[in-house]
Structure formats: C-alpha cells, structure tokens
Coordinates of all heavy atoms in Angstrom, one line a residue:
P1 N -4.7 -4.7 10.0 CA -5.5 -3.5 10.0 C -6.7 -3.7 11.0 O -7.1 -4.7 11.3 CB -6.0 -3.4 8.5 CG -5.1 -4.3 7.7 CD -4.6 -5.3 8.7
Q2 N -7.2 -2.5 11.4 CA -8.3 -2.5 12.3 C -9.5 -3.1 11.6 O -9.7 -2.9 10.5 CB -8.6 -1.1 12.8 CG -7.4 -0.5 13.6 CD -7.7 0.9 14.0 OE1 -8.6 1.5 13.5 NE2 -6.9 1.4 14.8
D3 N -10.3 -3.8 12.4 CA -11.6 -4.4 11.9 C -12.5 -3.4 11.3 O -13.4 -3.7 10.6 CB -12.3 -5.2 13.0 CG -11.5 -6.5 13.2 OD1 -10.8 -7.0 12.4 OD2 -11.8 -7.1 14.3
V4 N -12.4 -2.1 11.7 CA -13.2 -1.0 11.2 C -13.2 -1.0 9.6 O -14.2 -0.6 9.0 CB -12.9 0.3 11.8 CG1 -11.5 0.8 11.3 CG2 -14.0 1.3 11.5
Y5 N -12.2 -1.5 9.0 CA -12.1 -1.4 7.5 C -12.5 -2.7 6.9 O -12.5 -2.8 5.7 CB -10.6 -1.1 7.1 CG -10.3 0.3 7.5 CD1 -9.4 0.6 8.6 CD2 -10.8 1.4 6.8 CE1 -9.1 1.9 9.0 CE2 -10.5 2.7 7.2 CZ -9.6 2.9 8.3 OH -9.3 4.2 8.6
R6 N -12.9 -3.7 7.7 CA -13.3 -5.0 7.1 C -14.5 -4.8 6.1 O -14.5 -5.4 5.1 CB -13.6 -6.0 8.2 CG -14.2 -7.3 7.7 CD -13.3 -8.2 7.0 NE -12.3 -8.7 8.0 CZ -11.2 -9.4 7.7 NH1 -11.0 -9.7 6.5 NH2 -10.4 -9.8 8.7
T7 N -15.5 -4.1 6.5 CA -16.7 -3.8 5.7 C -16.3 -3.2 4.4 O -16.7 -3.6 3.3 CB -17.7 -3.0 6.4 OG1 -18.1 -3.7 7.6 CG2 -18.9 -2.8 5.5
L8 N -15.4 -2.2 4.4 CA -15.0 -1.4 3.2 C -14.2 -2.4 2.3 O -14.5 -2.4 1.1 CB -14.2 -0.2 3.6 CG -13.5 0.5 2.4 CD1 -14.6 1.1 1.5 CD2 -12.6 1.6 2.9
T9 N -13.2 -3.1 2.9 CA -12.4 -3.9 2.0 C -13.2 -5.1 1.4 O -13.0 -5.5 0.3 CB -11.2 -4.5 2.8 OG1 -11.6 -5.2 4.0 CG2 -10.2 -3.4 3.2
T10 N -14.2 -5.6 2.2 CA -15.0 -6.7 1.6 C -15.9 -6.1 0.5 O -16.0 -6.8 -0.6 CB -15.9 -7.2 2.7 OG1 -15.1 -7.8 3.7 CG2 -16.9 -8.3 2.2
R11 N -16.4 -4.9 0.7 CA -17.3 -4.4 -0.4 C -16.5 -4.1 -1.7 O -16.9 -4.3 -2.8 CB -17.9 -3.1 0.1 CG -19.0 -3.4 1.1 CD -19.6 -2.1 1.7 NE -20.5 -1.6 0.6 CZ -21.2 -0.5 0.8 NH1 -21.1 0.2 1.9 NH2 -22.0 0.0 -0.2
V12 N -15.2 -3.6 -1.5 CA -14.4 -3.4 -2.6 C -14.1 -4.7 -3.4 O -14.1 -4.8 -4.6 CB -13.0 -2.7 -2.2 CG1 -12.0 -2.7 -3.4 CG2 -13.3 -1.2 -1.8
A13 N -13.7 -5.7 -2.6 CA -13.4 -7.0 -3.2 C -14.6 -7.6 -4.0 O -14.5 -8.1 -5.1 CB -13.0 -8.0 -2.1
V14 N -15.8 -7.5 -3.4 CA -17.0 -8.0 -4.0 C -17.3 -7.2 -5.3 O -17.6 -7.7 -6.3 CB -18.2 -8.0 -3.1 CG1 -19.5 -8.3 -3.8 CG2 -18.0 -9.0 -2.0
A15 N -17.3 -5.9 -5.2 CA -17.6 -5.0 -6.3 C -16.7 -5.1 -7.5 O -17.1 -5.0 -8.6 CB -17.7 -3.5 -5.8
T16 N -15.4 -5.4 -7.2 CA -14.4 -5.5 -8.3 C -14.1 -6.9 -8.7 O -13.4 -7.1 -9.7 CB -13.1 -4.8 -7.8 OG1 -12.5 -5.5 -6.7 CG2 -13.3 -3.3 -7.5
A17 N -14.5 -7.9 -7.9 CA -14.1 -9.3 -8.1 C -12.6 -9.5 -8.1 O -12.1 -10.3 -8.8 CB -14.8 -9.8 -9.4
L18 N -11.9 -8.7 -7.3 CA -10.5 -8.7 -7.1 C -10.1 -9.0 -5.7 O -10.8 -8.6 -4.8 CB -9.8 -7.4 -7.6 CG -10.0 -7.0 -9.0 CD1 -9.5 -5.6 -9.3 CD2 -9.3 -8.0 -9.9
P19 N -9.0 -9.7 -5.5 CA -8.5 -9.8 -4.1 C -8.1 -8.5 -3.5 O -7.7 -7.6 -4.3 CB -7.3 -10.8 -4.2 CG -6.9 -10.7 -5.7 CD -8.1 -10.3 -6.5
V20 N -8.2 -8.3 -2.2 CA -7.8 -7.1 -1.6 C -6.8 -7.4 -0.5 O -6.9 -8.4 0.3 CB -9.1 -6.4 -0.9 CG1 -8.7 -5.3 0.0 CG2 -10.1 -6.0 -2.0
L21 N -5.8 -6.6 -0.5 CA -4.7 -6.7 0.6 C -4.8 -5.4 1.4 O -4.6 -4.3 0.9 CB -3.3 -6.8 0.0 CG -2.2 -6.7 1.0 CD1 -2.2 -7.9 1.9 CD2 -0.8 -6.7 0.2
A22 N -5.2 -5.5 2.7 CA -5.3 -4.4 3.5 C -4.0 -4.3 4.3 O -3.6 -5.3 5.0 CB -6.5 -4.5 4.5
V23 N -3.3 -3.2 4.3 CA -2.0 -3.1 4.9 C -2.1 -2.2 6.2 O -2.6 -1.2 6.2 CB -1.0 -2.4 3.9 CG1 0.3 -2.2 4.5 CG2 -0.9 -3.2 2.6
D24 N -1.5 -2.8 7.2 CA -1.3 -2.1 8.5 C 0.0 -1.4 8.4 O 1.0 -2.1 8.1 CB -1.4 -3.1 9.6 CG -1.8 -2.4 10.9 OD1 -2.1 -1.2 10.9 OD2 -1.8 -3.1 12.0
Y25 N 0.1 -0.1 8.7 CA 1.3 0.6 8.6 C 1.6 1.3 9.9 O 0.7 1.6 10.7 CB 1.3 1.6 7.4 CG 0.2 2.5 7.4 CD1 0.2 3.7 8.1 CD2 -1.0 2.2 6.8 CE1 -0.9 4.6 8.1 CE2 -2.1 3.0 6.8 CZ -2.0 4.3 7.4 OH -3.1 5.1 7.4
R26 N 2.9 1.6 10.1 CA 3.3 2.3 11.3 C 2.8 3.8 11.4 O 2.7 4.4 10.3 CB 4.8 2.3 11.5 CG 5.4 0.9 11.7 CD 6.9 0.9 11.6 NE 7.3 1.1 10.3 CZ 8.6 1.4 9.9 NH1 9.5 1.4 10.8 NH2 8.9 1.5 8.6
L27 N 2.4 4.2 12.5 CA 1.7 5.5 12.7 C 2.6 6.5 13.4 O 3.4 6.1 14.4 CB 0.4 5.4 13.5 CG -0.6 4.4 12.9 CD1 -1.8 4.3 13.8 CD2 -1.1 5.0 11.5
A28 N 2.5 7.8 13.1 CA 3.2 8.8 13.8 C 2.3 9.1 15.0 O 1.2 8.8 15.1 CB 3.3 10.1 12.9
P29 N 2.9 9.6 16.1 CA 4.2 10.2 16.2 C 5.3 9.1 16.6 O 6.4 9.4 16.6 CB 4.1 11.2 17.3 CG 3.0 10.7 18.2 CD 2.0 10.0 17.2
E30 N 4.8 7.9 17.0 CA 5.8 6.9 17.4 C 6.7 6.5 16.3 O 7.9 6.2 16.6 CB 5.0 5.6 17.9 CG 4.2 5.8 19.2 CD 2.8 6.4 18.9 OE1 2.4 6.5 17.7 OE2 2.2 6.7 19.9
H31 N 6.3 6.6 15.1 CA 7.1 6.2 13.9 C 7.0 7.4 12.9 O 6.1 7.4 12.1 CB 6.6 4.9 13.3 CG 6.5 3.8 14.2 ND1 7.6 3.1 14.6 CD2 5.5 3.3 15.0 CE1 7.3 2.1 15.5 NE2 6.0 2.2 15.7
P32 N 7.9 8.3 13.0 CA 7.8 9.5 12.2 C 8.0 9.2 10.7 O 8.5 8.2 10.3 CB 9.0 10.4 12.6 CG 9.7 9.6 13.7 CD 9.1 8.3 13.9
F33 N 7.6 10.2 9.9 CA 7.7 10.1 8.4 C 9.2 9.9 8.1 O 10.0 10.4 8.8 CB 7.3 11.5 7.8 CG 7.4 11.5 6.3 CD1 6.4 11.0 5.5 CD2 8.5 12.1 5.8 CE1 6.5 11.1 4.1 CE2 8.7 12.1 4.4 CZ 7.7 11.6 3.6
P34 N 9.5 9.0 7.2 CA 8.6 8.3 6.2 C 8.3 6.9 6.5 O 8.1 6.0 5.6 CB 9.4 8.4 4.9 CG 10.9 8.2 5.4 CD 10.9 8.9 6.8
A35 N 8.1 6.5 7.8 CA 7.9 5.1 8.2 C 6.7 4.5 7.5 O 6.8 3.4 6.9 CB 7.7 5.0 9.7
A36 N 5.6 5.2 7.4 CA 4.4 4.7 6.8 C 4.6 4.5 5.3 O 4.1 3.5 4.7 CB 3.2 5.6 7.1
V37 N 5.3 5.4 4.7 CA 5.5 5.3 3.2 C 6.5 4.1 3.0 O 6.2 3.3 2.0 CB 6.2 6.6 2.7 CG1 6.5 6.5 1.2 CG2 5.3 7.8 2.9
D38 N 7.5 3.9 3.8 CA 8.3 2.8 3.7 C 7.6 1.5 3.8 O 7.8 0.5 3.1 CB 9.5 2.9 4.7 CG 10.5 4.0 4.4 OD1 10.5 4.5 3.3 OD2 11.2 4.3 5.3
D39 N 6.6 1.5 4.8 CA 5.8 0.3 4.9 C 4.9 0.0 3.7 O 4.8 -1.2 3.3 CB 4.9 0.4 6.1 CG 5.6 0.4 7.5 OD1 6.8 0.1 7.5 OD2 5.0 0.8 8.5
A40 N 4.4 1.0 3.1 CA 3.6 0.9 1.8 C 4.5 0.4 0.7 O 4.1 -0.5 -0.1 CB 3.0 2.2 1.5
V41 N 5.7 0.9 0.6 CA 6.6 0.4 -0.5 C 6.9 -1.1 -0.2 O 6.9 -1.9 -1.2 CB 7.9 1.2 -0.5 CG1 9.0 0.5 -1.4 CG2 7.7 2.6 -0.9
T42 N 7.2 -1.5 1.0 CA 7.5 -2.9 1.4 C 6.3 -3.8 1.1 O 6.4 -4.9 0.5 CB 7.8 -3.0 2.9 OG1 9.0 -2.2 3.1 CG2 8.1 -4.4 3.3
A43 N 5.1 -3.3 1.4 CA 3.8 -4.1 1.1 C 3.6 -4.3 -0.4 O 3.3 -5.4 -0.8 CB 2.6 -3.4 1.7
L44 N 3.9 -3.2 -1.2 CA 3.7 -3.4 -2.6 C 4.7 -4.3 -3.2 O 4.4 -5.1 -4.1 CB 3.8 -2.0 -3.3 CG 3.5 -2.0 -4.8 CD1 2.1 -2.5 -5.1 CD2 3.7 -0.5 -5.3
A45 N 6.0 -4.3 -2.7 CA 7.0 -5.2 -3.2 C 6.6 -6.6 -2.8 O 6.8 -7.5 -3.6 CB 8.3 -4.8 -2.6
W46 N 6.1 -6.8 -1.6 CA 5.7 -8.2 -1.2 C 4.6 -8.6 -2.1 O 4.6 -9.8 -2.6 CB 5.2 -8.1 0.3 CG 4.7 -9.5 0.7 CD1 5.4 -10.4 1.3 CD2 3.4 -10.0 0.6 NE1 4.6 -11.5 1.6 CE2 3.4 -11.3 1.1 CE3 2.2 -9.5 0.1 CZ2 2.2 -12.1 1.2 CZ3 1.0 -10.3 0.1 CH2 1.1 -11.6 0.7
L47 N 3.6 -7.8 -2.4 CA 2.5 -8.1 -3.2 C 3.0 -8.6 -4.6 O 2.4 -9.5 -5.2 CB 1.5 -7.0 -3.4 CG 0.3 -7.2 -4.3 CD1 -0.6 -8.3 -3.7 CD2 -0.5 -5.9 -4.4
A48 N 4.0 -7.9 -5.1 CA 4.5 -8.2 -6.5 C 5.0 -9.7 -6.6 O 4.9 -10.3 -7.6 CB 5.6 -7.2 -6.9
G49 N 5.4 -10.2 -5.4 CA 6.0 -11.5 -5.4 C 5.1 -12.6 -4.9 O 5.4 -13.8 -4.8
H50 N 3.9 -12.2 -4.5 CA 3.0 -13.2 -3.8 C 1.5 -13.1 -4.2 O 0.6 -12.9 -3.5 CB 3.0 -12.9 -2.3 CG 4.3 -13.2 -1.6 ND1 5.3 -12.3 -1.6 CD2 4.8 -14.3 -1.0 CE1 6.4 -12.8 -1.0 NE2 6.1 -14.1 -0.7
T51 N 1.3 -13.2 -5.5 CA -0.1 -13.2 -6.0 C -0.6 -14.6 -6.0 O 0.1 -15.6 -5.7 CB -0.1 -12.7 -7.5 OG1 0.6 -13.6 -8.3 CG2 0.5 -11.3 -7.6
A52 N -1.9 -14.8 -6.2 CA -2.5 -16.1 -6.2 C -1.9 -17.0 -7.3 O -1.9 -18.2 -7.2 CB -4.0 -16.0 -6.4
H53 N -1.3 -16.4 -8.3 CA -0.8 -17.2 -9.5 C 0.8 -17.1 -9.5 O 1.4 -17.4 -10.5 CB -1.3 -16.6 -10.8 CG -2.8 -16.6 -10.8 ND1 -3.6 -17.8 -10.9 CD2 -3.7 -15.6 -10.7 CE1 -4.9 -17.5 -10.9 NE2 -5.0 -16.2 -10.8
G54 N 1.4 -16.8 -8.4 CA 2.8 -16.7 -8.3 C 3.3 -15.3 -8.4 O 2.5 -14.3 -8.4
P55 N 4.6 -15.1 -8.6 CA 5.2 -13.8 -8.7 C 4.6 -13.0 -9.9 O 4.1 -13.5 -10.9 CB 6.7 -14.0 -9.0 CG 6.9 -15.4 -8.4 CD 5.6 -16.1 -8.6
S56 N 4.5 -11.7 -9.7 CA 3.8 -10.8 -10.7 C 4.7 -9.6 -10.8 O 5.4 -9.2 -10.0 CB 2.4 -10.4 -10.2 OG 1.9 -9.3 -10.9
D57 N 4.5 -8.9 -12.0 CA 5.2 -7.6 -12.1 C 4.4 -6.5 -11.6 O 4.7 -5.3 -11.7 CB 5.6 -7.4 -13.6 CG 4.3 -7.2 -14.5 OD1 3.2 -7.3 -14.0 OD2 4.5 -7.1 -15.7
A58 N 3.3 -6.8 -10.9 CA 2.4 -5.8 -10.3 C 1.9 -4.7 -11.3 O 1.7 -3.6 -11.0 CB 3.0 -5.1 -9.1
A59 N 1.7 -5.1 -12.6 CA 1.3 -4.2 -13.6 C -0.1 -3.7 -13.5 O -0.5 -2.7 -14.0 CB 1.5 -4.8 -15.0
E60 N -0.9 -4.5 -12.7 CA -2.3 -4.2 -12.6 C -2.8 -4.2 -11.2 O -3.5 -5.0 -10.7 CB -3.2 -5.2 -13.4 CG -2.9 -5.1 -14.9 CD -3.8 -6.0 -15.7 OE1 -4.7 -6.7 -15.1 OE2 -3.6 -6.2 -16.9
V61 N -2.3 -3.2 -10.4 CA -2.6 -3.1 -9.0 C -3.4 -1.8 -8.8 O -3.1 -0.7 -9.4 CB -1.3 -3.0 -8.2 CG1 -1.6 -2.7 -6.7 CG2 -0.5 -4.3 -8.3
V62 N -4.5 -1.9 -8.1 CA -5.3 -0.7 -7.7 C -4.9 -0.3 -6.3 O -4.9 -1.2 -5.4 CB -6.8 -1.1 -7.8 CG1 -7.6 0.1 -7.3 CG2 -7.2 -1.5 -9.2
L63 N -4.6 0.9 -6.1 CA -4.3 1.4 -4.8 C -5.4 2.3 -4.3 O -5.9 3.1 -5.0 CB -3.0 2.3 -4.8 CG -1.7 1.5 -5.4 CD1 -0.6 2.5 -5.5 CD2 -1.4 0.4 -4.4
L64 N -5.8 2.0 -3.1 CA -7.0 2.7 -2.5 C -6.7 3.0 -1.0 O -6.1 2.2 -0.3 CB -8.2 1.8 -2.6 CG -9.5 2.2 -1.9 CD1 -10.1 3.4 -2.7 CD2 -10.5 1.1 -1.8
G65 N -7.0 4.2 -0.6 CA -6.9 4.6 0.7 C -8.0 5.5 1.2 O -8.6 6.3 0.4
D66 N -8.3 5.4 2.5 CA -9.4 6.2 3.1 C -8.7 7.2 4.1 O -7.9 6.7 4.9 CB -10.3 5.2 3.8 CG -11.4 5.9 4.6 OD1 -12.1 6.8 4.0 OD2 -11.6 5.6 5.8
S67 N -9.1 8.4 4.0 CA -8.6 9.5 4.9 C -7.1 9.5 4.8 O -6.5 9.7 3.7 CB -9.1 9.2 6.3 OG -8.9 10.3 7.1
A68 N -6.4 9.3 5.9 CA -4.9 9.3 5.9 C -4.3 8.3 5.0 O -3.3 8.5 4.4 CB -4.4 9.1 7.3
G69 N -5.1 7.2 4.8 CA -4.6 6.2 3.8 C -4.6 6.7 2.4 O -3.8 6.3 1.6
G70 N -5.5 7.6 2.1 CA -5.5 8.2 0.8 C -4.2 9.1 0.6 O -3.6 9.0 -0.5
G71 N -3.8 9.8 1.6 CA -2.6 10.5 1.6 C -1.4 9.6 1.4 O -0.4 9.9 0.8
L72 N -1.5 8.5 2.1 CA -0.4 7.5 2.0 C -0.3 6.9 0.6 O 0.8 6.7 0.1 CB -0.6 6.4 3.1 CG 0.5 5.3 3.1 CD1 1.8 5.9 3.4 CD2 0.1 4.3 4.2
V73 N -1.4 6.7 0.0 CA -1.3 6.2 -1.4 C -0.6 7.2 -2.3 O 0.2 6.9 -3.1 CB -2.8 5.9 -1.9 CG1 -2.8 5.7 -3.5 CG2 -3.3 4.7 -1.3
Y74 N -1.0 8.5 -2.1 CA -0.4 9.6 -2.9 C 1.1 9.6 -2.6 O 2.0 9.7 -3.5 CB -1.0 10.9 -2.6 CG -0.4 12.1 -3.3 CD1 -0.7 12.3 -4.7 CD2 0.5 12.9 -2.7 CE1 -0.2 13.3 -5.4 CE2 1.1 14.0 -3.5 CZ 0.7 14.2 -4.8 OH 1.3 15.2 -5.5
A75 N 1.5 9.6 -1.3 CA 2.9 9.6 -1.0 C 3.7 8.4 -1.6 O 4.8 8.5 -2.0 CB 3.1 9.6 0.5
L76 N 3.0 7.2 -1.6 CA 3.6 6.0 -2.2 C 3.9 6.2 -3.6 O 4.9 5.9 -4.2 CB 2.7 4.8 -2.0 CG 3.0 3.5 -2.7 CD1 4.4 3.0 -2.3 CD2 1.9 2.5 -2.5
L77 N 2.9 6.8 -4.4 CA 3.1 7.0 -5.8 C 4.2 8.0 -6.1 O 5.0 7.8 -7.0 CB 1.8 7.5 -6.4 CG 0.6 6.5 -6.4 CD1 -0.7 7.1 -6.9 CD2 1.0 5.3 -7.2
V78 N 4.3 9.0 -5.2 CA 5.4 10.0 -5.4 C 6.7 9.3 -5.1 O 7.7 9.4 -5.9 CB 5.3 11.2 -4.4 CG1 6.5 12.0 -4.4 CG2 4.1 12.0 -4.8
K79 N 6.8 8.5 -4.1 CA 8.1 7.7 -3.8 C 8.4 6.8 -4.9 O 9.6 6.7 -5.3 CB 7.9 7.0 -2.5 CG 9.0 6.1 -2.1 CD 10.1 6.8 -1.3 CE 11.2 5.8 -0.9 NZ 11.5 5.9 0.5
L80 N 7.4 6.0 -5.5 CA 7.7 5.1 -6.6 C 8.2 5.9 -7.8 O 9.1 5.4 -8.5 CB 6.5 4.3 -6.9 CG 6.0 3.3 -5.8 CD1 4.7 2.6 -6.2 CD2 7.1 2.3 -5.5
T81 N 7.6 7.0 -8.1 CA 8.0 7.8 -9.2 C 9.5 8.3 -9.0 O 10.3 8.2 -9.9 CB 7.1 9.1 -9.4 OG1 5.8 8.6 -9.6 CG2 7.6 9.9 -10.5
M82 N 9.8 8.7 -7.8 CA 11.2 9.2 -7.5 C 12.2 8.0 -7.6 O 13.3 8.2 -8.1 CB 11.2 9.8 -6.1 CG 10.5 11.1 -6.0 SD 10.4 11.8 -4.4 CE 12.1 12.4 -4.3
I83 N 11.8 6.8 -7.2 CA 12.6 5.6 -7.3 C 12.8 5.3 -8.8 O 14.0 5.1 -9.2 CB 12.0 4.4 -6.6 CG1 12.1 4.6 -5.1 CG2 12.8 3.1 -7.0 CD1 11.3 3.6 -4.3
A84 N 11.8 5.3 -9.6 CA 11.8 5.0 -11.0 C 12.7 6.0 -11.7 O 13.4 5.7 -12.7 CB 10.4 5.0 -11.6
Q85 N 12.7 7.3 -11.3 CA 13.5 8.3 -11.9 C 14.9 8.4 -11.4 O 15.7 9.2 -11.8 CB 12.8 9.7 -11.8 CG 11.5 9.7 -12.5 CD 10.8 11.0 -12.3 OE1 11.1 11.8 -11.4 NE2 9.7 11.3 -13.1
G86 N 15.2 7.5 -10.4 CA 16.6 7.5 -9.9 C 16.9 8.6 -8.9 O 18.1 8.8 -8.6
H87 N 15.9 9.2 -8.4 CA 16.1 10.3 -7.4 C 16.3 9.9 -6.0 O 16.9 10.6 -5.2 CB 15.0 11.3 -7.4 CG 14.8 12.0 -8.8 ND1 15.8 12.8 -9.3 CD2 13.8 12.0 -9.7 CE1 15.3 13.3 -10.5 NE2 14.1 12.8 -10.7
V88 N 15.8 8.7 -5.7 CA 16.0 8.1 -4.3 C 16.2 6.6 -4.5 O 15.8 6.0 -5.5 CB 14.8 8.4 -3.4 CG1 14.6 9.8 -3.1 CG2 13.5 7.8 -3.9
Q89 N 16.8 6.0 -3.5 CA 17.0 4.6 -3.5 C 15.7 3.9 -3.0 O 15.0 4.5 -2.2 CB 18.2 4.2 -2.6 CG 19.5 4.6 -3.2 CD 20.6 4.2 -2.3 OE1 20.5 3.6 -1.3 NE2 21.9 4.5 -2.8
D90 N 15.5 2.6 -3.4 CA 14.4 1.9 -2.9 C 14.5 1.7 -1.4 O 15.6 1.7 -0.8 CB 14.4 0.5 -3.6 CG 13.2 -0.3 -3.4 OD1 12.3 0.2 -2.6 OD2 13.1 -1.4 -3.9
A91 N 13.3 1.7 -0.7 CA 13.3 1.5 0.7 C 13.8 0.2 1.2 O 13.7 -0.8 0.5 CB 11.9 1.8 1.3

C-alpha cells in the first residue's frame, strides 16, 4: 500500500491494540471489476491462515476502508455473502 496510509493504519493499530493488515489491490481501469474484490477475497483468505497464533477461522476480523477502500469493503462483504449462500463460487 502507499505510504499515505501508514499514519492511518498505525493509529488504528494503536487505538485498537490489534494488528493491521493493509492490502494493496489492483486498480481500474488497468484491472477492471471485479479484480479489486477478488484481491480482497484473496487477502482475507490469506489472513485466515496466517495469524500471529497460527491458522484462524477469521471469526473476529475488522474490515476498514477509506474512500474507494470503503466501497471495496462493502463489495467484499457482498461477495462473501453470495459465496456463503452458494450464489457464486469462491474467487
């Protein structure tokens, strides 16, 4: 991710006393929809298997996005809901 978010992610980590994973995702127009959503699904799946204490079921994950990242968080939640309901296959 761009260093412009370092201050924000550091403040979130300090305020919550939780680790923060900042995800860099592919941008349009070079990578059209749903590339960024697929990247977010991949990042969340990676996170589920790579916590500080080993693999996790990711039951307690906080998703946060700024500007377009907020829209990406929403799109990720929609995609995960659709996957859980069997409407689409996992990315």
Side-chain angles (χ1 to χ4, degrees):
Q2 297 177 346
D3 285 341
V4 68
Y5 294 104
R6 173 71 69 187
T7 301
L8 174 62
T9 56
T10 299
R11 290 179 73 182
V12 169
V14 169
T16 62
L18 296 171
V20 171
L21 173 66
V23 177
D24 200 7
Y25 53 89
R26 293 174 288 170
L27 302 173
E30 294 84 7
H31 305 280
F33 180 83
V37 179
D38 292 343
D39 291 346
V41 170
T42 299
L44 186 59
W46 179 89
L47 180 63
H50 293 86
T51 66
H53 305 289
S56 166
D57 64 3
E60 297 182 7
V61 173
V62 176
L63 302 173
L64 174 71
D66 175 50
S67 192
L72 181 56
V73 167
Y74 180 76
L76 171 63
L77 293 174
V78 169
K79 174 89 179 231
L80 293 175
T81 299
M82 293 177 72
I83 291 169
Q85 294 175 349
H87 296 298
V88 296
Q89 293 182 355
D90 191 357

